[in-house]
Amino acid sequence: RRDGELQVAFDRGVDSFDAKNGRIVFAGVENSRLPELYIWENGAMRAITHFHDAFFEMVQTSKANLFEVENDGARIGGFYMLPRGWNGVQSFPAICYIHGGPKSFTKSDYLHELQVYAANGYFVYWCNPRGSDGQGNDFADIRGKYGTIDYDDIMKYTDAILKAFPQIDASRLGVTGGSYGGYMTNWIIGHTDRFRTAISRCCISNLTTKVLTTDIGYIHNMEQQACTPWSDFEKMWWHSPLRYADQVKTPTLFIH
Protein backbone atom coordinates (compact mmCIF):
# COMPACT_ATOMS: atom_id res chain seq x y z
CA ARG A 1 0.00 0.00 0.00
CA ARG A 2 1.46 3.35 -1.06
CA ASP A 3 -0.06 6.84 -1.10
CA GLY A 4 -3.59 5.49 -0.72
CA GLU A 5 -3.05 2.82 -3.40
CA LEU A 6 -3.04 -0.93 -2.92
CA GLN A 7 -0.19 -2.42 -4.94
CA VAL A 8 -1.21 -5.76 -6.45
CA ALA A 9 1.43 -8.35 -7.33
CA PHE A 10 2.10 -8.58 -11.06
CA ASP A 11 1.00 -12.22 -11.15
CA ARG A 12 -2.42 -11.40 -9.70
CA GLY A 13 -5.36 -9.58 -11.20
CA VAL A 14 -8.23 -7.42 -9.91
CA ASP A 15 -11.39 -7.21 -12.01
CA SER A 16 -13.59 -5.04 -9.76
CA PHE A 17 -13.45 -3.74 -6.19
CA ASP A 18 -15.11 -1.70 -3.46
CA ALA A 19 -13.45 -0.01 -0.49
CA LYS A 20 -14.89 1.13 2.85
CA ASN A 21 -13.62 1.61 6.39
CA GLY A 22 -10.08 0.55 5.57
CA ARG A 23 -11.12 -2.68 3.85
CA ILE A 24 -11.08 -3.57 0.17
CA VAL A 25 -13.27 -6.30 -1.25
CA PHE A 26 -12.51 -7.33 -4.80
CA ALA A 27 -13.10 -9.96 -7.46
CA GLY A 28 -9.76 -11.22 -8.61
CA VAL A 29 -7.57 -14.10 -9.67
CA GLU A 30 -4.31 -15.66 -8.58
CA ASN A 31 -2.34 -18.85 -8.93
CA SER A 32 -3.84 -19.80 -12.32
CA ARG A 33 -7.29 -20.15 -10.83
CA LEU A 34 -10.75 -18.89 -11.72
CA PRO A 35 -12.06 -15.68 -10.08
CA GLU A 36 -13.02 -15.53 -6.42
CA LEU A 37 -13.91 -12.75 -4.00
CA TYR A 38 -11.06 -11.54 -1.79
CA ILE A 39 -10.78 -9.10 1.09
CA TRP A 40 -7.81 -6.94 2.02
CA GLU A 41 -7.76 -5.78 5.63
CA ASN A 42 -5.18 -5.27 8.34
CA GLY A 43 -2.42 -5.50 5.75
CA ALA A 44 -3.33 -8.98 4.55
CA MET A 45 -5.37 -10.54 1.75
CA ARG A 46 -7.54 -13.65 1.98
CA ALA A 47 -10.17 -15.37 -0.14
CA ILE A 48 -13.75 -15.10 1.15
CA THR A 49 -15.34 -17.35 -1.49
CA HIS A 50 -14.32 -20.77 -2.76
CA PHE A 51 -16.67 -21.26 -5.69
CA HIS A 52 -14.17 -23.20 -7.78
CA ASP A 53 -12.37 -25.33 -5.22
CA ALA A 54 -14.28 -28.46 -6.27
CA PHE A 55 -13.33 -27.95 -9.91
CA PHE A 56 -9.63 -27.66 -9.16
CA GLU A 57 -9.81 -30.75 -6.98
CA MET A 58 -11.08 -32.73 -9.99
CA VAL A 59 -8.73 -31.54 -12.74
CA GLN A 60 -5.00 -31.30 -13.18
CA THR A 61 -3.93 -27.82 -14.29
CA SER A 62 -0.67 -26.15 -15.18
CA LYS A 63 0.59 -23.10 -13.28
CA ALA A 64 1.29 -19.76 -14.95
CA ASN A 65 4.78 -18.59 -14.00
CA LEU A 66 5.82 -14.95 -14.04
CA PHE A 67 8.45 -14.00 -16.64
CA GLU A 68 9.57 -10.42 -17.32
CA VAL A 69 11.93 -8.81 -19.78
CA GLU A 70 13.01 -5.24 -20.45
CA ASN A 71 12.86 -3.79 -23.93
CA ASP A 72 13.71 -0.23 -24.87
CA GLY A 73 13.39 0.79 -21.21
CA ALA A 74 9.93 -0.74 -20.84
CA ARG A 75 9.06 -3.61 -18.54
CA ILE A 76 7.33 -6.33 -20.55
CA GLY A 77 5.62 -8.66 -18.12
CA GLY A 78 4.10 -11.99 -18.97
CA PHE A 79 3.88 -15.65 -18.11
CA TYR A 80 4.78 -19.11 -19.28
CA MET A 81 3.25 -22.51 -18.68
CA LEU A 82 5.21 -25.75 -18.80
CA PRO A 83 3.78 -28.57 -20.90
CA ARG A 84 2.56 -31.76 -19.34
CA GLY A 85 5.45 -34.20 -19.28
CA TRP A 86 8.09 -31.49 -18.88
CA ASN A 87 11.27 -33.02 -17.50
CA GLY A 88 13.79 -30.28 -18.26
CA VAL A 89 15.53 -32.42 -20.85
CA GLN A 90 13.06 -33.40 -23.55
CA SER A 91 12.41 -31.00 -26.42
CA PHE A 92 8.94 -29.45 -26.71
CA PRO A 93 7.15 -27.19 -29.22
CA ALA A 94 5.90 -23.81 -28.00
CA ILE A 95 2.93 -21.54 -28.62
CA CYS A 96 2.96 -17.74 -28.35
CA TYR A 97 -0.49 -16.49 -27.29
CA ILE A 98 -1.42 -12.82 -27.89
CA HIS A 99 -4.29 -11.13 -26.07
CA GLY A 100 -6.95 -8.86 -27.55
CA GLY A 101 -7.40 -5.15 -27.09
CA PRO A 102 -4.68 -4.08 -27.38
CA LYS A 103 -5.70 -2.11 -24.26
CA SER A 104 -6.30 -5.28 -22.33
CA PHE A 105 -3.89 -7.52 -20.50
CA THR A 106 -3.29 -11.15 -19.64
CA LYS A 107 -2.93 -12.32 -16.09
CA SER A 108 -2.07 -15.57 -14.38
CA ASP A 109 -5.70 -16.66 -14.16
CA TYR A 110 -7.17 -19.83 -15.61
CA LEU A 111 -7.47 -19.63 -19.40
CA HIS A 112 -9.01 -22.80 -20.75
CA GLU A 113 -7.33 -22.80 -24.16
CA LEU A 114 -3.88 -22.31 -22.66
CA GLN A 115 -4.49 -25.20 -20.27
CA VAL A 116 -5.50 -27.35 -23.24
CA TYR A 117 -2.30 -26.44 -25.09
CA ALA A 118 -0.13 -27.29 -22.08
CA ALA A 119 -2.01 -30.54 -21.46
CA ASN A 120 -1.27 -31.58 -25.04
CA GLY A 121 2.47 -31.08 -24.72
CA TYR A 122 3.02 -27.44 -25.70
CA PHE A 123 5.12 -24.91 -23.82
CA VAL A 124 2.88 -21.82 -23.73
CA TYR A 125 3.93 -18.21 -23.19
CA TRP A 126 2.17 -14.86 -23.33
CA CYS A 127 3.08 -11.29 -22.52
CA ASN A 128 1.71 -7.76 -22.18
CA PRO A 129 3.49 -5.70 -24.84
CA ARG A 130 3.25 -1.94 -25.04
CA GLY A 131 -0.36 -1.09 -25.78
CA SER A 132 -1.54 -3.32 -22.91
CA ASP A 133 -3.36 -2.03 -19.85
CA GLY A 134 -2.06 -2.15 -16.30
CA GLN A 135 1.12 -0.06 -16.50
CA GLY A 136 -0.22 3.44 -16.96
CA ASN A 137 -1.52 5.51 -19.84
CA ASP A 138 1.82 6.11 -21.54
CA PHE A 139 2.55 2.38 -21.73
CA ALA A 140 -0.93 1.66 -23.08
CA ASP A 141 -0.89 4.40 -25.71
CA ILE A 142 0.25 3.03 -29.08
CA ARG A 143 -2.02 5.20 -31.23
CA GLY A 144 -0.53 5.39 -34.70
CA LYS A 145 2.08 2.76 -33.80
CA TYR A 146 0.31 -0.57 -34.33
CA GLY A 147 2.73 -3.21 -35.58
CA THR A 148 5.86 -1.34 -34.47
CA ILE A 149 6.83 -1.24 -30.79
CA ASP A 150 4.22 -3.84 -29.84
CA TYR A 151 5.57 -6.26 -32.46
CA ASP A 152 9.11 -5.58 -31.26
CA ASP A 153 8.12 -6.32 -27.64
CA ILE A 154 6.60 -9.68 -28.59
CA MET A 155 9.65 -10.67 -30.62
CA LYS A 156 12.04 -9.67 -27.83
CA TYR A 157 9.91 -11.60 -25.35
CA THR A 158 10.05 -14.64 -27.64
CA ASP A 159 13.85 -14.29 -27.86
CA ALA A 160 14.11 -14.17 -24.06
CA ILE A 161 11.86 -17.21 -23.60
CA LEU A 162 13.91 -19.25 -26.07
CA LYS A 163 17.13 -18.22 -24.34
CA ALA A 164 15.79 -19.09 -20.88
CA PHE A 165 14.38 -22.44 -22.00
CA PRO A 166 16.70 -24.17 -24.48
CA GLN A 167 14.44 -27.21 -24.23
CA ILE A 168 12.01 -25.41 -26.58
CA ASP A 169 12.37 -26.51 -30.18
CA ALA A 170 12.75 -23.16 -31.96
CA SER A 171 11.82 -24.82 -35.25
CA ARG A 172 8.38 -25.71 -33.85
CA LEU A 173 6.93 -22.40 -32.70
CA GLY A 174 3.28 -21.48 -33.15
CA VAL A 175 1.51 -18.15 -32.70
CA THR A 176 -2.16 -17.43 -32.06
CA GLY A 177 -4.52 -14.75 -30.82
CA GLY A 178 -7.94 -13.22 -31.32
CA SER A 179 -9.15 -9.70 -32.19
CA TYR A 180 -6.05 -7.55 -31.67
CA GLY A 181 -4.28 -10.86 -31.04
CA GLY A 182 -5.50 -11.86 -34.50
CA TYR A 183 -4.26 -8.55 -35.90
CA MET A 184 -0.83 -9.16 -34.40
CA THR A 185 -0.80 -12.79 -35.58
CA ASN A 186 -1.48 -11.50 -39.10
CA TRP A 187 1.20 -8.83 -38.70
CA ILE A 188 3.75 -11.35 -37.45
CA ILE A 189 3.33 -13.78 -40.34
CA GLY A 190 3.76 -10.88 -42.77
CA HIS A 191 7.03 -9.80 -41.16
CA THR A 192 8.78 -13.00 -40.07
CA ASP A 193 8.72 -16.71 -40.86
CA ARG A 194 10.11 -17.79 -37.48
CA PHE A 195 6.79 -19.37 -36.54
CA ARG A 196 6.04 -22.71 -38.13
CA THR A 197 2.28 -22.28 -37.99
CA ALA A 198 -0.33 -19.71 -36.93
CA ILE A 199 -3.98 -19.55 -35.92
CA SER A 200 -5.62 -16.14 -36.40
CA ARG A 201 -9.04 -15.75 -34.76
CA CYS A 202 -11.67 -13.00 -35.24
CA CYS A 203 -8.81 -11.06 -36.75
CA ILE A 204 -8.22 -7.63 -38.25
CA SER A 205 -6.43 -7.53 -41.59
CA ASN A 206 -7.37 -4.29 -43.38
CA LEU A 207 -7.74 -1.15 -41.30
CA THR A 208 -8.87 0.96 -44.25
CA THR A 209 -12.06 -1.08 -44.68
CA LYS A 210 -12.52 -1.93 -40.99
CA VAL A 211 -13.10 1.77 -40.28
CA LEU A 212 -16.64 1.69 -41.68
CA THR A 213 -17.62 -1.93 -40.94
CA THR A 214 -16.52 -2.62 -37.37
CA ASP A 215 -18.92 -3.23 -34.49
CA ILE A 216 -16.62 -1.35 -32.11
CA GLY A 217 -17.51 2.05 -33.59
CA TYR A 218 -16.01 3.70 -36.65
CA ILE A 219 -14.31 6.51 -34.72
CA HIS A 220 -12.27 4.05 -32.65
CA ASN A 221 -10.22 2.83 -35.60
CA MET A 222 -9.37 6.31 -36.81
CA GLU A 223 -8.48 7.42 -33.30
CA GLN A 224 -6.26 4.38 -32.74
CA GLN A 225 -4.41 4.80 -36.02
CA ALA A 226 -4.12 8.59 -35.62
CA CYS A 227 -5.46 9.07 -39.15
CA THR A 228 -8.42 8.38 -41.42
CA PRO A 229 -8.59 6.72 -44.85
CA TRP A 230 -9.23 10.19 -46.25
CA SER A 231 -6.55 12.16 -44.41
CA ASP A 232 -3.74 9.61 -44.75
CA PHE A 233 -4.75 6.47 -46.59
CA GLU A 234 -1.16 5.30 -46.99
CA LYS A 235 -0.50 5.38 -43.25
CA MET A 236 -3.61 3.36 -42.45
CA TRP A 237 -2.75 0.91 -45.22
CA TRP A 238 0.86 0.67 -43.95
CA HIS A 239 -0.46 -0.52 -40.55
CA SER A 240 -2.78 -3.08 -42.20
CA PRO A 241 -1.46 -6.68 -42.15
CA LEU A 242 -3.09 -7.33 -45.54
CA ARG A 243 -0.51 -5.01 -47.11
CA TYR A 244 2.13 -7.66 -46.40
CA ALA A 245 0.13 -10.74 -47.44
CA ASP A 246 2.47 -11.45 -50.36
CA GLN A 247 5.30 -11.97 -47.86
CA VAL A 248 3.51 -14.63 -45.80
CA LYS A 249 5.13 -18.09 -45.81
CA THR A 250 3.57 -19.44 -42.58
CA PRO A 251 0.72 -21.98 -42.88
CA THR A 252 -2.18 -20.22 -41.17
CA LEU A 253 -5.65 -21.22 -40.00
CA PHE A 254 -8.17 -18.36 -39.95
CA ILE A 255 -11.17 -18.73 -37.64
CA HIS A 256 -13.60 -15.87 -38.19
Side-chain angles (χ1 to χ4, degrees), residues 10-256:
F10 201 67
D11 58 350
R12 290 174 176 162
V14 175
D15 295 318
S16 59
F17 69 93
D18 195 13
K20 187 176 182 180
N21 298 330
R23 299 189 300 173
I24 301 175
V25 176
F26 61 93
V29 295
E30 64 173 344
N31 299 328
S32 305
R33 294 177 66 88
L34 288 158
E36 299 286 357
L37 290 176
Y38 295 85
I39 187 169
W40 184 89
E41 60 181 345
N42 300 322
M45 185 183 82
R46 60 182 173 85
I48 56 177
T49 65
H50 301 274
F51 296 122
H52 302 108
D53 285 0
F55 171 77
F56 285 103
E57 289 172 1
M58 291 189 300
V59 300
Q60 179 183 350
T61 59
S62 299
K63 183 180 184 299
N65 303 280
L66 182 66
F67 188 85
E68 295 180 294
V69 302
E70 184 174 304
N71 184 33
D72 194 27
R75 180 185 66 155
I76 311 302
F79 303 88
Y80 68 88
M81 193 178 291
L82 297 176
R84 188 166 298 177
W86 178 268
N87 56 19
V89 178
Q90 183 181 349
S91 178
F92 286 89
I95 296 175
C96 173
Y97 171 82
I98 306 171
H99 68 68
K103 201 172 183 295
S104 175
F105 66 100
T106 46
K107 308 185 291 291
S108 60
D109 54 338
Y110 178 93
L111 291 176
H112 178 74
E113 60 188 292
L114 303 190
Q115 292 288 341
V116 171
Y117 297 152
N120 282 276
Y122 292 93
F123 185 107
V124 189
Y125 66 95
W126 60 102
C127 70
N128 292 301
R130 279 172 286 185
S132 303
D133 206 355
Q135 293 196 66
N137 290 335
D138 290 341
F139 186 91
D141 186 3
I142 58 168
R143 287 173 293 181
K145 300 176 183 178
Y146 279 42
T148 60
I149 57 176
D150 46 351
Y151 168 71
D152 188 54
D153 287 343
I154 294 170
M155 293 301 101
K156 291 295 174 57
Y157 197 87
T158 296
D159 292 339
I161 284 285
L162 293 177
K163 182 177 180 180
F165 296 94
Q167 301 91 339
I168 296 174
D169 185 347
S171 69
R172 293 195 294 162
L173 297 181
V175 60
T176 187
S179 192
Y180 168 79
Y183 167 92
M184 186 50 64
T185 298
N186 295 346
W187 185 269
I188 285 171
I189 62 177
H191 289 78
T192 179
D193 60 359
R194 72 184 304 180
F195 294 93
R196 187 168 180 178
T197 188
I199 301 177
S200 181
R201 297 176 287 109
C202 53
C203 67
I204 301 154
S205 60
N206 189 344
L207 294 167
T208 67
T209 54
K210 180 176 180 286
V211 164
L212 298 178
T213 59
T214 177
D215 61 347
I216 201 171
Y218 75 95
I219 195 67
H220 173 267
N221 297 276
M222 295 187 284
E223 188 266 344
Q224 285 296 298
Q225 303 311 318
C227 64
T228 76
W230 302 278
S231 67
D232 196 341
F233 179 90
E234 288 304 320
K235 175 174 174 55
M236 189 165 279
W237 178 236
W238 189 93
H239 291 282
S240 298
L242 191 64
R243 183 181 188 272
Y244 310 94
D246 62 335
Q247 301 177 38
V248 176
K249 299 178 181 179
T250 307
T252 304
L253 170 65
F254 293 95
I255 303 176
H256 200 63

